[in-house]
Amino acid sequence: MVETERLLLKPLTYDQLVNYINCDNSLETELKLNKSSRTISPELKEAFEQTILPNVADKSKNYLYSTLWTAISKAENKMVGDLCIVGEPNAQGEIEIGYGTYDEFQNKGFMTEAVSGMITWAKTQLEVTAIIASTEKTNTPSFKVLEKNGFIKTGETAALFNWKVEIE
């Protein structure tokens, strides 16, 4: 678990991920959190079934690099968003992150703080040298999160900006 000023970042176990997908507040009950009205998109559900759950179940892998890390507001005792690492470090020591804030908690700085917490955690992982991310060009709040955390734009595609921050 990673703790920041306002948040706890908790990596979810396989069983907790299954409860997360159910969106029936069973995860919140297990974690002793206040109930939330979060939903899960069909795309995220597919990502869980195709990639996240199989990778977390694979005992040969460090599940911290595949699972969802839920961001919990300490003040509200509620899940406010999620962050995930997209697999173990590559040959260059880079890990890729993705993240999202639940609608009712957007524009409060939670994800900027969560990404900062993940950078702090990554600094404790000897094999990690950098964090990379991609944002849709139209998603200004998402790339502001990265800019505020020292990410530098490294390139772009037709739809995406690519970002990177070195880990010292």
Side-chain angles (χ1 to χ4, degrees), residues 114-124 131 149-151 165-167:
V115 170
S116 174
M118 286 309 294
I119 292 170
T120 301
W121 175 83
K123 289 177 180 179
T124 69
I131 301 175
N149 278 293
F151 281 72
V165 66
E166 301 287 338
I167 303 296

Side-chain angles (χ1 to χ4, degrees), residues 36-87:
S36 70
S37 57
R38 67 182 169 79
T39 58
I40 184 167
S41 70
E43 296 82 16
L44 184 56
K45 186 168 180 146
E46 184 178 334
F48 267 97
E49 292 166 354
Q50 306 281 321
T51 308
I52 297 171
L53 287 171
N55 284 336
V56 171
D58 185 342
K59 299 295 182 207
S60 72
K61 296 181 179 180
N62 180 341
Y63 88 101
L64 296 175
Y65 291 113
S66 300
T67 195
L68 198 72
W69 294 64
T70 190
I72 301 164
S73 163
K74 292 190 270 188
E76 299 188 48
N77 196 40
K78 205 175 215 188
M79 294 167 54
V80 297
D82 307 299
L83 197 144
C84 69
I85 302 170
V86 188

